[in-house]
């Protein structure tokens, strides 16, 4: 029997490139998160909406810092800090794309 402390991670909490691509590519959420014009980066336009609506429905949590931490294993954050001040956006780009 597997203990919950040592069992495999819950797949609903793991970010993957295909999962993040699907989230950013959803035209219904373009006002919250979208690709840049060149398609090499994406921007989270509304951090509160992203954290309260998109993260819980895709990852079982509303924690933007956790999303950034997982995303950093696939892409490089731009100049913005993990949690930008109110009114700012979070930009992410990938040298691999």
């Amino acid at each position: 029997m597997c203990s919950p402390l040592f069992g495999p991670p819950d797949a609903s909490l793991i970010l993957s490139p295909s999962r993040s691509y699907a989230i950013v590519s959803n035209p219904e959420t373009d006002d919250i998160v979208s690709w840049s014009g060149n398609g090499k980066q994406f921007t989270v336009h509304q951090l509160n909406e992203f954290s309260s609506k998109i993260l819980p429905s895709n990852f079982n949590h509303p924690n933007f810092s956790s999303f950034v931490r997982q995303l950093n294993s696939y892409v490089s954050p731009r100049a913005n800090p993990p949690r930008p001040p109110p009114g700012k956006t979070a930009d992410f780009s990938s040298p691999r794309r």
Side-chain angles (χ1 to χ4, degrees):
M1 215 181 340
C2 248
S3 162
L5 295 175
F6 300 105
D10 183 348
S12 67
L13 301 176
I14 298 172
L15 178 69
S16 69
S18 60
R19 196 170 191 185
S20 57
Y21 181 85
I23 291 167
V24 177
S25 297
N26 182 350
E28 294 178 13
T29 60
D30 279 351
D31 60 323
I32 299 171
V33 60
S34 66
W35 290 106
S36 65
N38 66 11
K40 292 185 179 181
Q41 70 184 38
F42 68 89
T43 300
V44 176
H45 307 287
Q46 298 179 33
L47 292 170
N48 289 337
E49 294 291 313
F50 186 79
S51 295
S52 66
K53 293 182 179 177
I54 294 178
L55 289 180
S57 65
N58 288 282
F59 300 107
N60 251 358
H61 69 78
N63 192 330
F64 184 73
S65 296
S66 291
F67 172 77
V68 171
R69 186 173 45 255
Q70 291 181 48
L71 188 62
N72 281 337
S73 65
Y74 299 108
V75 301
S76 345
R78 296 257 327 243
N80 292 352
R83 185 73 175 173
K88 300 291 181 182
T89 61
D91 298 324
F92 299 92
S93 62
S94 174
R96 300 177 205 164
R97 190 152 193 251

